[in-house]
Amino acid sequence: MAITGAPGRFSASRRILTYENSGRQPEYSDELTVSSSDSVFGFLEGSVESTGSRDGVDDDMFDIEEENCEGSFEENKTFWETQHDQLKATLCRTTSIETGIRNVTREAVKELKTQGNYCNCNKTTSEKSCRNCLMREVSCRLNNAGYNTAICRTKWRSSPDIPSGEHTFLDVIDNSTPAKGKIRVVIELNFRAEFEMARASDEYNQLVNRLPEVFVAKIERLKVLIKILCKAAKKCMEGKKMHIGPWRKQKYMQAKWLSSNYERMVQVNVSLNYANFEQIISKPKKASMLTIALLDAPRKAVLAA
């Protein structure tokens, strides 16, 4: 008689235990022994096959990850190669006016840094000469060479995207070709440092190292360079999983040289003296009388002396 309540997993001919009568011990049937062995080994084989199937899935996943890594590597490599090519192409373009200004500027900077001690502002500084005095002397040399050169000071207000700030550099206004209209050329004596970052990647540093220290170019060319470098800075920070600072954004960098709110200080003779700088052309349209008075105060004080 079969055991009451036994699970119906096997047919009646393959049940594990059978009784012929209540007085005898249960016997294992030979057929069932084989079936049991088959079941055990079948389970083990099934386990092996199942493990192999999981390994296969894992291998596929690893393959996908490797492909993604390779794809990411290739995309990253292509990006930086493109940035280098665009930077090189932009820096190589030039005009005769840019070349003339660049040659005079580089020669002046080289001579001034060689002789040293050209600072005339009486300010305490750890360096031999301050940046403002270097700009004044270079501006003097350019004016002597016949270029309408001035020291420019840009200012911009804060916005939800960028903080407020100001920046000083040189520019040249050229009106020699009436058909082309007024051409503005920007001169930045420490251009490379404006884009350097403390935690930059090797790829970004290699790109920035290609920049000239003394930069001379038209506004249109400067806009292109700013776009290339700011895009590279963003990519660099994304690679490091860091947020880019607002002072590194394209809008902020453009404001440094391209802000519509700027002043030009034109040198009227060759002597290095504050009295020799006269503020002309566009004072800020929205500047207060106090701002204008403060800007004019040093010149009036020197003239009175």
Side-chain angles (χ1 to χ4, degrees):
M1 181 180 67
I3 297 176
T4 304
R9 304 171 88 182
F10 303 103
S11 62
S13 62
R14 299 185 63 185
R15 290 178 182 171
I16 298 176
L17 297 176
T18 58
Y19 292 89
E20 292 186 357
N21 58 59
S22 58
R24 297 179 61 182
Q25 296 295 323
E27 297 179 355
Y28 294 93
S29 65
D30 294 338
E31 180 185 357
L32 190 56
T33 303
V34 175
S35 300
S36 177
S37 297
D38 290 344
S39 300
V40 172
F41 286 106
F43 172 77
L44 293 176
E45 290 174 1
S47 299
V48 173
E49 290 176 0
S50 176
T51 303
S53 177
R54 286 200 304 271
D55 289 343
V57 172
D58 290 343
D59 289 341
D60 291 341
M61 291 178 63
F62 289 139
D63 290 341
I64 293 171
E65 290 178 0
E66 288 176 1
E67 288 175 3
N68 290 338
C69 291
E70 290 175 2
S72 177
F73 174 79
E74 289 299 326
E75 289 176 3
N76 191 61
K77 181 180 178 182
T78 301
F79 172 84
W80 290 108
E81 287 177 351
T82 301
Q83 299 309 108
H84 276 278
D85 292 341
Q86 292 178 351
L87 183 69
K88 181 180 179 181
T90 305
L91 291 174
C92 288
R93 295 192 187 101
T94 189
T95 60
S96 58
I97 181 68
E98 290 171 296
T99 301
I101 296 171
R102 189 179 297 113
N103 291 339
V104 175
T105 302
R106 286 178 176 174
E107 188 64 30
V109 171
K110 181 179 179 181
E111 182 180 340
L112 289 167
K113 288 188 175 181
T114 300
Q115 71 181 37
N117 295 323
Y118 49 82
C119 185
N120 196 42
C121 65
N122 298 322
K123 291 182 179 179
T124 304
T125 176
S126 58
E127 299 179 0
K128 291 183 178 180
S129 301
C130 69
R131 183 172 180 269
N132 289 337
C133 289
L134 177 61
M135 285 194 295
R136 290 190 179 96
E137 184 62 17
V138 172
S139 177
C140 169
R141 304 291 180 90
L142 286 165
N143 276 296
N144 288 342
Y147 296 104
N148 178 12
T149 312
I151 294 178
C152 294
R153 181 185 298 136
T154 55
K155 292 183 180 180
W156 58 95
R157 296 179 179 180
S158 61
S159 71
D161 298 323
I162 61 172
S164 61
E166 62 179 65
H167 187 63
T168 308
F169 58 97
L170 297 172
D171 79 348
V172 171
I173 302 297
D174 179 66
N175 294 307
S176 60
T177 309
K180 295 182 179 180
K182 182 176 71 174
I183 297 175
R184 188 178 182 216
V185 178
V186 170
I187 305 170
E188 179 59 66
L189 301 181
N190 201 14
F191 188 67
R192 189 186 302 132
E194 296 294 333
F195 294 92
E196 291 176 345
M197 297 193 299
R199 299 181 180 180
S201 62
D202 292 339
E203 293 88 351
Y204 182 81
N205 286 332
Q206 290 172 8
L207 189 70
V208 171
N209 287 336
R210 299 188 67 173
L211 296 174
E213 182 179 359
V214 177
F215 175 77
V216 177
K218 295 191 297 183
I219 294 294
E220 296 77 13
R221 209 176 323 283
L222 177 59
K223 288 180 180 179
V224 175
L225 284 175
I226 292 174
K227 183 177 180 179
I228 293 171
L229 292 162
C230 289
K231 187 176 180 180
K234 183 179 179 180
K235 179 73 172 180
C236 172
M237 291 294 101
E238 287 177 351
K240 290 182 170 288
K241 302 187 183 303
M242 298 172 63
H243 291 288
I244 188 167
W247 56 90
R248 296 292 180 188
K249 292 184 177 180
Q250 183 174 339
K251 189 174 181 180
Y252 186 92
M253 299 303 289
Q254 286 179 337
K256 282 188 174 184
W257 298 283
L258 308 176
S259 174
S260 58
N261 184 17
Y262 72 96
E263 302 164 349
R264 297 186 82 238
M265 298 178 64
V266 180
Q267 190 172 349
V268 295
N269 64 37
V270 298
S271 175
L272 282 176
N273 191 298
Y274 285 105
N276 299 322
F277 284 87
E278 182 179 3
Q279 289 199 287
I280 64 171
I281 311 181
S282 54
K283 288 182 179 179
K285 294 180 180 180
K286 297 183 180 180
S288 65
M289 295 303 296
L290 177 60
T291 301
I292 296 173
L294 289 173
L295 292 171
D296 287 341
R299 180 173 63 85
K300 291 179 180 179
V302 175
L303 289 173

